[in-house]
C-alpha cells in the first residue's frame, strides 16, 4: 500500500504575526515554522497503517527550500521518502494541481492531509484533489482503519453526530483529532532522516484562481468595563449600544 501524505509549512501559533508595509504580504521575519498540526494527524496515522499492513509513506510539500527542515522532521517521524514541489503555494487550487500531478504519477492508494492549514484555514485542497483525480474524498475524518486490502472505513463528523463511510482505494481523506496521537521524532529517526530520499521537482501548470489583496489584524479588544451589580439599567444600555448583542 502506497500512502501519500501532504504537509504544509505554517507559522508556529506562538509567533508574532506581522505584515509588510502595504499589508499585501506576510512578513516572515522572526517567524518560526512548523508542520501544520492537522497534517501531523494524517502523517502519524499513515505511519501506523504502514506498520500494521506494510507499504510505504511518502511526504509531499509544495514550497520553497526553506520548508525542507520540516520535511526532514516528517521523515524523522517515520515517512520513507519525500517530494518537494519547488514553488510558492500560491493558493489552494495551485497546491491541489501539484498534489494531483504527483499522485497520478506515483499511483498512490491513499492521499492523506490535514483538514486545513492553520494559517489560511481554507478547508479546500482535499476536495479539489479528489475532484481533479476523479476519486472519493472523505473529509474531515477522525478515524481511519482498513477493512481489507482494498477497502477503508472512515468516521467523520456531521451535524448532530457522526457518519461511518467505507470506501475503495484509491481515495483522498483529510484528518482531524482524535484520529491518533501525533508522534514526535526520536534520536534514531532524526539520524536516519538525513539519508532518506528527498526529491525536488518543478511545478506543473502555474495557474492560481485567487489573489490575496490585503491582510489585516483583528481589532484590539477594548478594555473591560465593570458595572455595579445594582445598576442593571447601565448594563443593558452598554449591551445594546456598544456590544450590540441585544
Amino acid at each position: 500500500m502506497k500512502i501519500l501524505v501532504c504537509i504544509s509549512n505554517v507559522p508556529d501559533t506562538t509567533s508574532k504575526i506581522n505584515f509588510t508595509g502595504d499589508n499585501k504580504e506576510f512578513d516572515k521575519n522572526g517567524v518560526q515554522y512548523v508542520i501544520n498540526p492537522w497534517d501531523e494527524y494524517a502523517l502519524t496515522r499513515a505511519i501506523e497503517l504502514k506498520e500494521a499492513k506494510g507499504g510505504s509513506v511518502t511526504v509531499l510539500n509544495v514550497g520553497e527550500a526553506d520548508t525542507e527542515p520540516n520535511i526532514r522532521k516528517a521523515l524523522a517521524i517515520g515517512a520513507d521518502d519525500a517530494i518537494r514541489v519547488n514553488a510558492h503555494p500560491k493558493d489552494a487550487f495551485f497546491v491541489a494541481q501539484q498534489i494531483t500531478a504527483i499522485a497520478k504519477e506515483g499511483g498512490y492508494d491513499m492521499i492523506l492531509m490535514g483538514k486545513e492549514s492553520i494559517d489560511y484555514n481554507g478547508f479546500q485542497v482535499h476536495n479539489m484533489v479528489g475532484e481533479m483525480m476523479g476519486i472519493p474524498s472523505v473529509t474531515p475524518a477522525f478515524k481511519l482503519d482498513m477493512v481489507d486490502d482494498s477497502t477503508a472505513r472512515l468516521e467523520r463528523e456531521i451535524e448532530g453526530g457522526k457518519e461511518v463511510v467505507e470506501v475503495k482505494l484509491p481515495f483522498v481523506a483529510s484528518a482531524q483529532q482524535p484520529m491518533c496521537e501525533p508522534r514526535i521524532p526520536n534520536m534514531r529517526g532524526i539520524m536516519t532522516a538525513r539519508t532518506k530520499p528527498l526529491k525536488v521537482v518543478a511545478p506543473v501548470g502555474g495557474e492560481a484562481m485567487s489573489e490575496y489583496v490585503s491582510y489585516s489584524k483583528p481589532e484590539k479588544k477594548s478594555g473591560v468595563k465593570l458595572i455595579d451589580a445594582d445598576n442593571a439599567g447601565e448594563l443593558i444600555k452598554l449591551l445594546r449600544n456598544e456590544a450590540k448583542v441585544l
Side-chain angles (χ1 to χ4, degrees):
M1 183 167 60
K2 294 178 65 178
I3 306 175
L4 181 67
V5 179
C6 310
I7 64 172
S8 299
N9 200 54
V10 298
D12 192 318
T13 53
T14 61
S15 297
K16 186 176 181 180
I17 303 302
N18 290 301
F19 305 109
T20 55
D22 56 4
N23 289 327
K24 290 186 176 181
E25 292 184 4
F26 176 68
D27 187 354
K28 294 183 178 182
N29 290 325
V31 175
Q32 179 73 30
Y33 281 80
V34 297
I35 298 174
N36 179 46
W38 296 117
D39 297 336
E40 289 185 326
Y41 288 99
L43 174 61
T44 299
R45 188 62 187 134
I47 294 167
E48 291 174 347
L49 290 172
K50 180 192 74 169
E51 293 171 346
K53 302 290 185 180
S56 63
V57 175
T58 298
V59 168
L60 171 62
N61 170 256
V62 180
E64 296 166 321
D66 58 358
T67 67
E68 290 195 3
N70 280 325
I71 298 175
R72 288 291 178 190
K73 181 182 177 182
L75 293 171
I77 290 171
D80 298 290
D81 61 303
I83 301 170
R84 179 173 67 83
V85 178
N86 189 29
H88 176 71
K90 301 175 183 177
D91 70 351
F93 183 79
F94 176 81
V95 172
Q97 281 184 312
Q98 312 312 312
I99 295 172
T100 299
I102 297 296
K104 285 183 175 178
E105 182 180 347
Y108 295 94
D109 300 299
M110 198 180 299
I111 304 166
L112 303 180
M113 63 192 76
K115 68 173 185 177
E116 60 189 350
S117 61
I118 63 169
D119 49 2
Y120 288 98
N121 300 105
F123 202 84
Q124 301 177 72
V125 174
H126 33 74
N127 290 322
M128 289 182 179
V129 173
E131 181 68 21
M132 290 177 181
M133 296 193 66
I135 60 176
S137 175
V138 183
T139 61
F142 62 83
K143 190 173 183 180
L144 167 60
D145 294 299
M146 295 300 298
V147 176
D148 53 42
D149 292 341
S150 63
T151 307
R153 179 182 290 118
L154 300 97
E155 294 184 17
R156 70 187 194 97
E157 289 184 353
I158 59 173
E159 187 174 354
K162 69 177 182 180
E163 180 179 66
V164 180
V165 179
E166 287 193 1
V167 60
K168 293 288 186 181
L169 306 182
F171 66 90
V172 181
S174 68
Q176 67 172 30
Q177 66 187 77
M179 180 172 282
C180 57
E181 183 66 31
R183 296 183 181 182
I184 59 174
N186 55 34
M187 184 55 67
R188 184 172 181 270
I190 293 170
M191 297 300 291
T192 57
R194 297 177 181 178
T195 57
K196 289 182 178 179
L198 197 172
K199 182 181 179 182
V200 180
V201 300
V204 298
E207 183 180 4
M209 300 296 288
S210 59
E211 178 185 358
Y212 299 104
V213 177
S214 66
Y215 296 91
S216 62
K217 293 183 181 181
E219 293 183 7
K220 291 184 178 180
K221 294 182 179 179
S222 59
V224 175
K225 292 184 178 180
L226 300 177
I227 307 299
D228 190 276
D230 297 326
N231 194 359
E234 179 66 15
L235 176 60
I236 294 171
K237 179 181 177 182
L238 291 171
L239 290 173
R240 179 179 291 120
N241 299 330
E242 292 191 15
K244 299 187 185 303
V245 295
L246 295 178

